[in-house]
C-alpha cells in the first residue's frame, strides 16, 4: 500500500537558518502530494501541495518540488522564524480524495531565537 | 472562513463508557474523515464517508463506528472506551470525489483521555 516516510525529529534550528525536511513516498499510481502544518494546540492546515511531477508548491516562504524520479517531496525554507515552530506532515492522496490522505509520522520543528 | 468544528477540545471518559465525538463542516463537502494522532505514529485513518449514510473502514477501524445521517455531520463512536483509545482525534472534510488535488480541511482536534 501507499506510505510516506519523513524525518521525525525533533529538528532544532536557529532563527534565519535554512530548513530542509525530507519526505519520500511509495505509491502505486500518480499521487498528489501535500505538506500540512500543525501549530501547538491546533488542527492541521494545508501548507502547500503539488499534483504532478515537477510541480512546485509554495506558500509562506516554504517550497517543495514533486520529484517523480526520486519519489520525493522535500520541504525547504531559506530563512526560518521562531513562528515556524510546529509539526510538519508530508502526505499523499491517490484515491481521488475520498480515500483520505496517507500521512508521514510528522517532523517536530523547533526554531530558537 | 471555511470551518470544520469538533464539539469538544478535551474529553475525559471512563473505561467501558460509550463515547460520541461530533464533527460538523460548513463547506458542503462530500467526504469526511476521522483520524487519530499518536506520538511516533502520525495520523492514522479510522473511518471515512463519501456520502450521507455511507461509510468505509480506514486503516484502524477496530473499536470504533461512525454515523453520517446528514451531509454536514460525521460522528465517531467508541462503543466501549478503553485506555488504548486515549488519543487526539482529528476530523477532516474534502470535496470533489475523484479530484486528485483535493485539499482536506481539519478541525482543531479532540484530546480524549480514557481512565
Amino acid at each position: 500500500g501507499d506510505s510516506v516516510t519523513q524525518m521525525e525529529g525533533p529538528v532544532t534550528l536557529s532563527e534565519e537558518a535554512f530548513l530542509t525536511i525530507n519526505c519520500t513516498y511509495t505509491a502505486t499510481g500518480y499521487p498528489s502530494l501535500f505538506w500540512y502544518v500543525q501549530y501547538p494546540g491546533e488542527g492541521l492546515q494545508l501548507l502547500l501541495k503539488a499534483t504532478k511531477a515537477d510541480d512546485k508548491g509554495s506558500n509562506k516562504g516554504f517550497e517543495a518540488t514533486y520529484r517523480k524520479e526520486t519519489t520525493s517531496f522535500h520541504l525547504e525554507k531559506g530563512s526560518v522564524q521562531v513562528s515556524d515552530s510546529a509539526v510538519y506532515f508530508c502526505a499523499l492522496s491517490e484515491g481521488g480524495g475520498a480515500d483520505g490522505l496517507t500521512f508521514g509520522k510528522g517532523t517536530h520543528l523547533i526554531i530558537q531565537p | 472562513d471555511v470551518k470544520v468544528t469538533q464539539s469538544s477540545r478535551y474529553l475525559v471518559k471512563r473505561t467501558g463508557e460509550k463515547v460520541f465525538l461530533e464533527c460538523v463542516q460548513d463547506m458542503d463537502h462530500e467526504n469526511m474523515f476521522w483520524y487519530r494522532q499518536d506520538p511516533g505514529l502520525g495520523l492514522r485513518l479510522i473511518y471515512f464517508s463519501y456520502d450521507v449514510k455511507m461509510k468505509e473502514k480506514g486503516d484502524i477501524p477496530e473499536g470504533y463506528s461512525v454515523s453520517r445521517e446528514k451531509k454536514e455531520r460525521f460522528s465517531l463512536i467508541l462503543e466501549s472506551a478503553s485506555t488504548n483509545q486515549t488519543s487526539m482525534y482529528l476530523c477532516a472534510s474534502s470535496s470533489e470525489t475523484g479530484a486528485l488535488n483535493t485539499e482536506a480541511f481539519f478541525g482543531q482536534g479532540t484530546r480524549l483521555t480514557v481512565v
Side-chain angles (χ1 to χ4, degrees):
Chain A
D2 296 347
S3 67
V4 176
T5 302
Q6 61 180 111
M7 51 201 296
E8 290 184 37
V11 173
T12 303
L13 296 173
S14 297
E15 205 165 20
E16 300 184 2
F18 184 86
L19 168 71
T20 300
I21 301 177
N22 290 337
C23 171
T24 57
Y25 67 89
T26 302
T28 54
Y30 301 95
S32 292
L33 301 174
F34 306 83
W35 277 101
Y36 280 81
V37 59
Q38 184 178 35
Y39 298 104
E42 298 184 12
L44 277 69
Q45 305 172 24
L46 179 67
L47 182 59
L48 53 84
K49 66 183 180 185
T51 59
K52 60 183 187 297
D54 300 324
D55 266 2
K56 178 186 282 188
S58 61
N59 186 25
K60 300 181 180 180
F62 290 90
E63 293 182 341
T65 301
Y66 190 142
R67 301 287 188 200
K68 186 169 178 291
E69 64 276 13
T70 55
T71 62
S72 64
F73 193 54
H74 304 321
L75 183 68
E76 296 182 336
K77 186 175 185 182
S79 176
V80 292
Q81 306 300 314
V82 172
S83 57
D84 294 327
S85 299
V87 181
Y88 292 81
F89 291 92
C90 185
L92 68 82
S93 173
E94 196 166 27
D99 292 347
L101 293 154
T102 299
F103 286 89
K105 293 183 179 181
T107 300
H108 186 194
L109 176 65
I110 301 169
I111 308 300
Q112 296 177 333
Chain B
D1 257 359
V2 295
K3 229 172 205 182
V4 178
T5 304
Q6 295 183 229
S7 54
S8 303
R9 292 293 302 273
Y10 302 94
L11 275 180
V12 180
K13 296 292 182 181
R14 295 193 182 279
T15 301
E17 275 193 78
K18 190 169 187 176
V19 181
F20 293 86
L21 303 183
E22 306 287 348
C23 175
V24 177
Q25 51 96 1
D26 64 1
M27 295 164 281
D28 201 36
H29 283 170
E30 293 84 2
N31 308 321
M32 295 188 76
F33 309 89
W34 276 106
Y35 295 88
R36 65 177 281 177
Q37 181 180 9
D38 300 288
L41 297 176
L43 275 76
R44 294 178 291 168
L45 182 64
I46 305 171
Y47 267 96
F48 64 97
S49 168
Y50 53 86
D51 200 354
V52 176
K53 297 194 185 295
M54 305 301 290
K55 61 184 179 184
E56 296 286 343
K57 293 180 180 179
D59 300 318
I60 51 163
E62 296 78 18
Y64 303 95
S65 62
V66 290
S67 172
R68 189 148 180 221
E69 295 297 318
K70 293 184 177 181
K71 190 176 185 180
E72 67 270 19
R73 186 179 296 271
F74 192 37
S75 303
L76 180 70
I77 303 157
L78 286 66
E79 295 289 344
S80 177
S82 63
T83 54
N84 63 10
Q85 293 179 308
T86 292
S87 186
M88 170 71 88
Y89 290 88
L90 292 167
C91 175
S93 72
S94 69
S95 67
E96 299 183 62
T97 301
L100 288 179
N101 63 347
T102 302
E103 173 186 352
F105 295 85
F106 283 82
Q108 288 194 300
T110 297
R111 185 166 293 283
L112 172 67
T113 302
V114 182
V115 298

